[in-house]
Amino acid sequence: MIFLFVVGIFGAGIGGKAWADSCGGRGTPGVDYGDGGGDDGAQQPGGTIRQQQIANAKIIDKVAADGGLSGRASLIGLMTALQESTLLNLDHGHLDSIGLFQQRPSQGWGTKTMIMKPSYAAGMFFFGESRNSTAGIHGLTDIKGWETMGLGEAAQKVQASAYPELYDGQEDAARQIAKEAGIDLDRTGKGGNADEDQDPGPGTASPGQDDDPDAECYPESPNERPGKPGAPFHDGDAPWPANVKNPRSTEDAIAWARQEAKTGGKDWYRACLAFVARTYGWSFSGVPYAIDHYREMPASMKHDKDRNPPPGALMYWETGGRAGHVAVYLGDGKIASNDIVRPGYIDVVPATDIESKWGSTYVGWAPPYFPKGG
C-alpha cells in the first residue's frame, strides 16, 4: 500500500514548477517527476525526489572514490546520470534501458536486477565489465585521456549516445547536487586504468538508440495529412471534443503563453509538459513524460503527423530520448516552447524549429486534454 501511495504521488505531480524533465532527447532530454503546484524552483526539486538524487549521487561518488578515481570522475558520472535518468534509478527507459545510467541488458551491461543496483551500475560506468582489462563493456577508465578531455566528451565515450552534446549541459546541476551531497569534486585520484586506449564502438553501449531506426511508433492512416518533415505547419480547424475542459479557455491559454514568452522568467528548463499544463490553467499534468501524454490520448484525439493543428493544440515530437517534447501551437506556424532559444525560458518560434534545430521527429497534435491534471 505504501508503494502504491508513493506511485500515486509520483504520477500526480510532486511540487513546484518541476525541475521535471518532461521534454527530452535531442533538445533537452530527461524525465518529468510530475509538475505539481508547490514552491520548489525549476532547477531545485524538493521532497523525496531530491533525497533520492542526493542518495544516488553519494553512491556514484563512493564507487568512484573506492576505485581510486578523482572527483572529476564523480562529476562525469553525475552529469551522465542526470542526463540519462535525472539521477533517479528508473526501472524503464527507451527500449530496455534502465537504471541510473540507462544501461541495456541486451547490450551486455548486466541483468536487469544487477543494473537496478546503483552501485553496480556506477561500477559498470566507471570500470566497465572488468577493472583489469578492456574486454567486453568499456567504462570510463578504459578511455585513454578521459581525465583531460572535456567532461561531456568523456561521458559520451562511455555512453555512445546519438546526442553527445547534451551531457555538458548537466554540469551546473551536477555541481549543485555534489555540493548538497557533500561530494568533493576536487578530490585527486589514486589510480585507475586511464591509460588504456579503448573507444567504445557505436553498438557497445547505446542507451537511447533504437535497434530498428526505420520502425514507426505511429503508423500513418489514410486520413492523415502528414506532409514532409520540415514542411511548414498550417492552421487547421477542428473544435475540441466536449470532454476537453480546462480551467483556462483556448484563447486565454494562447494569450498566457505569449505573455510568458514576453515577460516570464527562467522557470521552464526541461519542463515542457509542466508548461503546457500551466498554460491551460492546471498546476500539473499528472503524466510523467511528454510523449506519454500523447500516447495516452484517446485514439480519436490523436492526429498523427498532421501538420495542420488548430491554434491552441498541443504538438508532440519524438526526440530520441525517453521523454519527448510538447509545445503549444499559437497559430500561423508558431509555437510557444521552452529551451529552444533560451534555456529555461519560453519563446515563440516556428514550429519547424523543433525539427530543424533539435533534429526531432514530429509525432502529431492533440487537443489540450488533461484528464489527470490537477
Side-chain angles (χ1 to χ4, degrees):
M1 291 182 67
I2 292 174
F3 171 78
L4 293 175
F5 176 72
V6 171
V7 169
I9 293 176
F10 188 91
I14 305 173
K17 292 178 179 177
W19 191 71
D21 305 311
S22 59
C23 19
R26 296 179 178 88
T28 44
V31 180
D32 190 345
Y33 309 136
D35 31 340
D39 297 323
D40 302 322
Q43 293 290 333
Q44 184 69 32
T48 60
I49 294 298
R50 195 57 163 188
Q51 293 172 11
Q52 291 175 50
Q53 288 182 311
I54 290 174
N56 289 327
K58 289 180 177 179
I59 292 172
I60 290 172
D61 179 61
K62 185 178 187 302
V63 171
D66 288 350
L69 302 184
S70 63
R72 181 182 180 83
S74 292
L75 178 58
I76 295 170
L78 294 179
M79 289 168 58
T80 305
L82 278 166
Q83 175 60 37
E84 298 292 354
S85 69
T86 323
L87 255 179
L88 296 178
N89 194 28
L90 303 178
D91 64 356
H92 55 275
H94 184 64
L95 299 178
D96 61 336
S97 301
I98 53 173
L100 291 174
F101 296 91
Q102 289 291 280
Q103 294 156 338
R104 297 181 59 188
S106 66
Q107 300 298 307
W109 287 88
T111 66
K112 182 174 182 178
T113 299
M114 295 163 68
I115 295 172
M116 286 302 296
K117 186 176 180 180
S119 58
Y120 171 87
M124 289 294 287
F125 174 79
F126 289 125
F127 305 106
E129 193 169 342
S130 173
R131 300 191 184 200
N132 299 315
S133 76
T134 56
I137 295 295
H138 305 129
L140 181 66
T141 55
D142 294 319
I143 309 304
K144 183 178 181 179
W146 71 267
E147 292 169 306
T148 56
M149 67 177 58
L151 299 169
E153 181 184 2
Q156 167 65 7
K157 290 289 187 178
V158 181
Q159 299 297 97
S161 169
Y163 316 107
E165 71 280 1
L166 300 177
Y167 295 110
D168 279 322
Q170 301 295 344
E171 182 177 356
D172 288 346
R175 289 186 179 279
Q176 178 60 38
I177 287 178
K179 181 179 179 180
E180 294 177 36
I183 294 172
D184 180 13
L185 297 180
D186 295 322
R187 180 184 69 244
T188 58
K190 299 179 181 179
N193 299 326
D195 293 332
E196 295 292 345
D197 184 10
Q198 288 291 330
D199 192 339
T204 301
S206 49
Q209 292 181 336
D210 199 327
D211 288 336
D212 183 3
D214 296 323
E216 292 189 15
C217 296
Y218 304 96
E220 298 179 17
S221 72
N223 297 323
E224 287 173 358
R225 297 169 292 167
K228 296 181 179 179
F233 289 89
H234 302 284
D235 294 2
D237 182 16
W240 306 148
N243 56 338
V244 175
K245 298 178 180 180
N246 296 300
R248 191 174 280 148
S249 70
T250 300
E251 293 75 15
D252 288 345
I254 291 175
W256 187 90
R258 288 186 179 278
Q259 188 62 35
E260 185 69 13
K262 291 180 180 179
T263 63
K266 193 177 181 180
D267 297 325
W268 306 109
Y269 179 59
R270 303 176 68 175
C272 55
L273 184 56
F275 167 69
V276 299
R278 199 70 59 86
T279 296
Y280 275 93
W282 299 101
S283 294
F284 57 84
S285 68
V287 179
Y289 299 95
I291 199 63
D292 286 352
H293 193 247
Y294 185 78
R295 290 171 178 161
E296 292 180 12
M297 287 279 178
S300 60
M301 294 188 187
K302 293 192 289 188
H303 300 266
D304 292 356
K305 301 182 181 178
D306 182 356
R307 302 180 81 89
N308 300 271
L314 305 184
M315 299 176 66
Y316 301 82
W317 289 264
E318 288 275 13
T319 58
R322 173 63 179 87
H325 185 68
V326 61
V328 178
Y329 185 63
L330 304 178
D332 297 323
K334 301 292 183 63
I335 57 171
S337 174
N338 61 309
D339 299 334
I340 186 67
V341 176
R342 302 170 295 166
Y345 292 90
I346 302 301
D347 287 288
V348 175
V349 298
T352 51
D353 277 8
I354 308 300
E355 292 171 304
S356 63
K357 292 187 177 181
W358 285 356
S360 300
T361 301
Y362 176 60
V363 174
W365 67 266
Y369 184 50
F370 296 92
K372 299 179 181 178

